[in-house]
Amino acid sequence: MLIFNNKADLIAQLSAHLSSKSSIGFVPTMGALHKGHLSLLEKSVQENDITVISIFVNPTQFNNPEDLTKYPRTLDADVEKIKTVSDKILVFAPSVNEMYDGNTVSGHFSFDGLEHQMEGNHRPGHFDGVGTIVKKLFEIVTPTNAYFGEKDFQQLQIVKKLVEKTGMDINIIGCPISRETSGLAMSSRNERLSEEDKDKAAVVYKILSRARELFATESVENVKKYVYDAFEALPEFSMDYFEITAEDDLVPANTKENKKYRGFIAVFLSNVRLIDNISLN
Ligand code: AMP
């Protein structure tokens, strides 16, 4: 399996595919791979002539230095997992210096307001960091199709907006959330939870699922109250936010219109920040 640490080598490898007009599928990740990441890779392998995965813990999208330091880095194990999907996948695992040339700062982006909601509000600078690294990676990999998980639904919408605004000719493909049998959304940060906490964390999806049931008959306000009250009764959790928004603009909804809605949650458990979301209708 080919692993690239520098962009020039990857670009050289991809140039042969570009000239033969092969389709390039791309799955950007921060590593510590789990089955959620692998589901994106499998889709890319099915739909493209060649697939590239990047593994890069991007410092500029972390607003919390401790979260960055503690982020799991498991390249060797990741490579073994990638091989289980296909040993033809190209792995791009650059250093911070390779991506930022000694200037580890974000650019500034407008995503037409998407960046001011939820994660944008609660993690200042996060989406400038995401925009910066995704744009750099897209310029290196020049994918035909790029795969992003609905686990980070706001990020998915922002990347679609990035491509629209910069005029890059890339299809952004959203992929469903992979969950443990308990319902817990798979996440690299789950590795920082004890087994006991992983069991407890399954309640997040249970509460979201109940919120979806309630959304059919109850007001937005009542559904939000249900979720806040449910977590109020669970002192080991600390709520960051729960919002109900339309999928397109991500602006918190007060009333229901003829649109698709989602519920979005961020909660802390044992100092680990868990995010999840669910389609409500
Ligand atoms: P990350 O490594 O956390 O930056 O995630 C890399 C990509 O995998 C992003 O597009 C995520 O949305 C996606 N992803 C992460 N967890 C899951 C999951 N449980 N199900 C589906 N996609 C996921």
Side-chain angles (χ1 to χ4, degrees):
M1 199 155 82
L2 295 175
I3 303 173
F4 300 86
N5 300 122
N6 76 60
K7 45 195 176 198
D9 290 344
L10 178 65
I11 289 168
Q13 174 76 25
L14 289 171
S15 64
H17 295 284
L18 285 173
S19 53
S20 67
K21 297 224 180 332
S22 308
S23 62
I24 299 174
F26 180 40
V27 180
T29 80
M30 299 203 297
L33 300 183
H34 50 67
K35 287 186 185 145
H37 297 114
L38 300 187
S39 72
L40 273 56
L41 267 185
E42 278 157 11
K43 194 164 164 61
S44 175
V45 166
Q46 277 163 18
E47 296 180 355
N48 298 278
D49 298 311
I50 183 89
T51 287
V52 180
I53 180 172
S54 60
I55 297 180
F56 180 66
V57 182
N58 174 36
T60 63
Q61 72 188 68
F62 284 78
N63 56 312
N64 176 344
E66 190 189 343
D67 190 27
L68 174 60
T69 324
K70 290 197 172 159
Y71 203 87
R73 289 159 173 88
T74 58
L75 184 60
D76 293 344
D78 290 346
V79 168
E80 291 309 311
K81 289 179 189 163
I82 296 165
K83 276 186 196 159
T84 67
V85 179
S86 162
D87 60 5
K88 302 221 164 35
I89 293 170
L90 306 182
V91 180
F92 182 45
S95 65
V96 172
N97 208 28
E98 181 67 12
M99 290 310 293
Y100 283 96
D101 277 329
N103 187 25
T104 316
V105 293
S106 295
H108 293 292
F109 293 85
S110 162
F111 299 112
D112 293 349
L114 293 175
E115 73 278 23
H116 300 312
Q117 309 300 337
M118 299 183 289
E119 292 298 284
N121 246 334
H122 290 256
R123 301 183 65 189
H126 173 64
F127 287 120
D128 275 338
V130 169
T132 302
I133 195 63
V134 170
K135 185 162 177 285
K136 280 176 190 280
L137 289 167
F138 280 177
E139 284 164 357
I140 295 166
V141 177
T142 63
T144 322
N145 301 305
Y147 298 81
F148 289 83
E150 289 181 348
K151 163 82 172 21
D152 303 282
F153 192 87
Q154 187 174 9
Q155 170 176 276
L156 166 65
Q157 300 298 66
I158 277 181
V159 172
K160 285 183 181 165
K161 185 64 79 178
L162 173 75
V163 165
E164 180 192 312
K165 291 199 126 187
T166 54
M168 285 188 270
D169 185 16
I170 303 170
N171 303 313
I172 304 302
I173 296 165
C175 305
I177 302 174
S178 298
R179 298 182 178 280
E180 307 286 355
T181 39
S182 68
L184 175 63
M186 291 181 184
S187 165
S188 305
R189 287 186 179 86
N190 293 352
E191 287 189 19
R192 289 171 47 203
L193 293 174
S194 65
E195 287 308 312
E196 197 186 340
D197 276 346
K198 278 186 197 159
D199 289 343
K200 285 185 189 157
V203 77
V204 175
Y205 184 60
K206 290 202 178 74
I207 291 172
L208 287 182
S209 301
R210 179 70 185 135
R212 178 175 54 196
E213 282 170 20
L214 291 173
F215 190 79
T217 52
E218 296 288 327
S219 67
V220 169
E221 193 188 339
N222 281 352
V223 176
K224 284 176 74 166
K225 185 172 183 318
Y226 159 73
V227 173
Y228 273 91
D229 287 350
F231 279 102
E232 199 64 46
L234 297 169
E236 60 271 48
F237 287 89
S238 140
M239 179 70 107
D240 208 6
Y241 63 80
F242 173 73
E243 286 294 356
I244 293 177
T245 85
E247 289 192 353
D248 52 0
D249 61 16
L250 302 181
V251 175
N254 295 314
T255 53
K256 294 185 218 171
E257 291 167 30
N258 189 19
K259 286 181 158 193
K260 291 198 75 182
Y261 289 95
R262 261 177 200 261
F264 294 87
I265 196 161
V267 284
F268 288 94
L269 172 62
S270 301
N271 259 331
V272 179
R273 190 168 181 275
L274 308 172
I275 63 166
D276 201 347
N277 67 82
I278 194 163
S279 167
L280 294 172
N281 59 343

